[in-house]
Amino acid sequence: LSRSELQPDGPRDPPLRSALLRRALDELEAVVVIVDAQGREVFRNRAAMGLLGARHGDALIAAALTEALTSDVTGYRRELDLLGPPRRRLLIRGEALTEDGEALGRLALAHDISEQAKVVDVRRDFVANVSHELRTPVGGLVSLADALEEETDRAVIDRLVHRIRAEAQRLATLIDDLLSLSRIEAEGSVGQRRRLAVAELIAAAAERMAGAADAADIELVVEPSPDAVVVGDADQLISALTNLMDNAVKYSNAGGKVRVAGSQHRHSVDIAVSDEGIGIPAEDLDRIFERFYRVDPARSRRTGGTGLGLAIVRHVAANHGGEVLVASQEGSGSTFTLRLPGDPRSTP
Ligand SMILES: Nc1ncnc2c1ncn2[C@@H]1O[C@H](COP(=O)(O)OP(=O)(O)OP(=O)(O)O)[C@@H](O)[C@H]1O
Ligand SMILES: [Mg+2]
């Protein structure tokens, strides 16, 4: 904000010009406070007015701004964490305003960088998680290979080879899941938009799951669906349903039933996958949709789970403008519902 910048070819009338600048700064979400060379406050935008309140967080921001305005550091920078709620992270900046070497005053800014900070955290966690998840089967492969090298007994060799194959399979599944998650996230929306019969989506997913259900001695019951139609990407939707059915089968005990039912509502189409399995503790319900989150990592490892399935389901739902709901009772079973917007042309 040098003097010359304050005097562009705009309105000739100085009061009008400063009124315009003031209004423009009021539109910013960032907090802006300006003091003159003597340290007297000459301007505060609307966001900064809000800080005059009595809230604790506001007092912390005000104190940080005062520091930024009185500091003699040229480019003052500081991050301020507010515990909230909501938790926020602010970047506080202080800049000397000078022209031709002459001090005009100082500017302090505060803006919310919580979203950026979250993205950085998520990315860091993700890399750490992926590395950890890859490390385990790779470590297993190395020690199995070592054991194999010294082995002469044919039966033991066969067993080791079998385990090597299983670890390699685990790695392949993990990589496939990562690739499909990244594809679904990158698509950010629906790849191929088609009108799809819900009954056909369910049938396709059930067909993929038939073998696994059989092997686990689980009866897969597909309830007759109404003629519901959704608009979306068949691959993504079938993959979401397969993931839900896969969980329902994996987290059930032999002899149990898994039911899949489509239903048409006024504004949505629901596809519910219910099981009579182990259920999910209430305190974990919020977290199971996070990438790599597993209620019981040991059980999940035995069943080959990587904790990416529900993250995929949630993304698919979001890409279609829908959501996933869960209701569960520990020890008696869970119901996951994929809720999609109905096709307006087929809403009753
Ligand atoms: N139907 C269910 N019954 C009980 N627990 C479930 C059910 N579905 C999911 N969970 C729990 O939620 C966790 C996360 O599920 P998710 O599908 O994301 O991962 P996973 O099944 O462990 O691995 P993946 O699906 O990537 O192979 C599971 O580890 C399990 O603890
Ligand atoms: Mg799963």
Side-chain angles (χ1 to χ4, degrees):
L1 284 178
S2 71
R3 270 183 209 150
S4 50
E5 279 174 277
L6 286 171
Q7 287 161 15
D9 306 330
R12 285 292 155 90
D13 176 19
L16 173 58
R17 193 164 53 228
S18 60
L20 275 173
L21 284 171
R22 200 180 311 256
R23 281 291 301 118
L25 290 170
D26 276 344
E27 286 304 312
L28 296 180
E29 266 166 52
V31 165
V32 179
V33 182
I34 301 172
V35 295
D36 65 13
Q38 283 70 47
R40 288 180 302 231
E41 185 173 314
V42 290
F43 177 75
R44 163 180 291 264
N45 74 346
R46 193 175 340 168
M49 298 290 182
L51 298 178
L52 299 173
R55 284 181 303 184
H56 179 60
D58 290 346
L60 292 175
I61 302 171
L65 289 170
T66 305
E67 199 178 302
L69 286 170
T70 49
S71 155
D72 43 20
V73 177
T74 320
Y76 175 96
R77 295 275 181 289
R78 177 185 157 195
E79 285 182 6
L80 178 67
D81 282 314
L82 299 178
L83 294 178
R87 256 180 128 75
R88 288 193 295 155
R89 177 169 296 173
L90 301 178
L91 177 66
I92 310 287
R93 292 176 46 191
E95 302 290 346
L97 304 173
T98 58
E99 188 169 65
D100 304 329
E102 183 197 340
L104 296 180
R106 224 175 141 82
L107 163 74
L109 286 165
H111 74 267
D112 197 313
I113 54 164
S114 316
E115 277 305 310
Q116 280 155 266
K118 200 154 81 196
V119 169
V120 171
D121 286 353
V122 165
R123 186 174 307 150
R124 194 189 41 224
D125 286 356
F126 184 64
V127 171
N129 282 327
V130 169
S131 315
H132 176 79
E133 294 294 330
L134 290 172
R135 194 77 201 83
T136 317
V138 169
L141 284 173
V142 171
S143 43
L144 287 166
D146 288 346
L148 193 58
E149 195 169 30
E150 274 148 34
E151 196 48 64
T152 52
D153 182 339
R154 187 66 227 178
V156 180
I157 291 176
D158 285 350
R159 215 164 52 233
L160 291 171
V161 167
H162 178 78
R163 286 182 51 202
I164 287 178
R165 198 167 283 133
E167 289 296 341
Q169 191 53 53
R170 214 181 127 63
L171 267 176
T173 310
L174 172 59
I175 291 165
D176 286 347
D177 278 359
L178 281 169
L179 287 173
S180 63
L181 182 60
S182 100
R183 183 173 43 79
I184 287 167
E185 280 184 350
E187 279 168 10
S189 65
V190 178
Q192 291 262 7
R193 239 169 219 292
R194 292 234 174 79
R195 296 185 77 232
L196 304 161
V198 167
E200 281 171 32
L201 294 172
I202 295 177
E207 197 183 310
R208 285 200 202 171
M209 282 307 301
D214 224 37
D217 189 18
I218 303 288
E219 189 187 343
L220 192 57
V221 183
V222 176
E223 311 271 1
S225 292
D227 295 330
V229 168
V230 291
V231 177
D233 181 312
D235 284 345
Q236 283 193 15
L237 291 169
I238 293 170
S239 138
L241 290 177
T242 310
N243 268 304
L244 291 178
M245 292 185 204
D246 178 57
N247 285 346
V249 168
K250 270 199 312 203
Y251 303 107
S252 284
N253 302 310
K257 268 194 188 125
V258 168
R259 287 175 209 279
V260 190
S263 57
Q264 168 94 63
H265 302 272
R266 214 173 141 69
H267 298 293
S268 69
V269 171
D270 286 359
I271 305 174
V273 179
S274 320
D275 63 61
E276 304 167 342
I278 61 173
I280 301 160
E283 67 267 24
D284 292 301
L285 281 177
D286 280 352
R287 304 207 52 194
I288 51 174
F289 294 96
E290 290 172 20
R291 294 183 285 202
F292 299 113
Y293 190 82
R294 287 162 298 196
V295 173
D296 175 357
R299 172 163 181 142
S300 213
R301 188 165 299 284
R302 277 198 307 281
T303 51
T306 57
L308 291 173
L310 288 177
I312 293 175
V313 177
R314 189 180 57 179
H315 260 285
V316 169
N319 284 357
H320 286 78
E323 57 182 335
V324 207
L325 311 168
V326 55
S328 185
Q329 189 78 52
E330 240 187 308
S332 55
S334 314
T335 297
F336 284 82
T337 305
L338 182 61
R339 174 163 292 168
L340 301 167
D343 177 14
R345 279 176 293 178
S346 61
T347 304

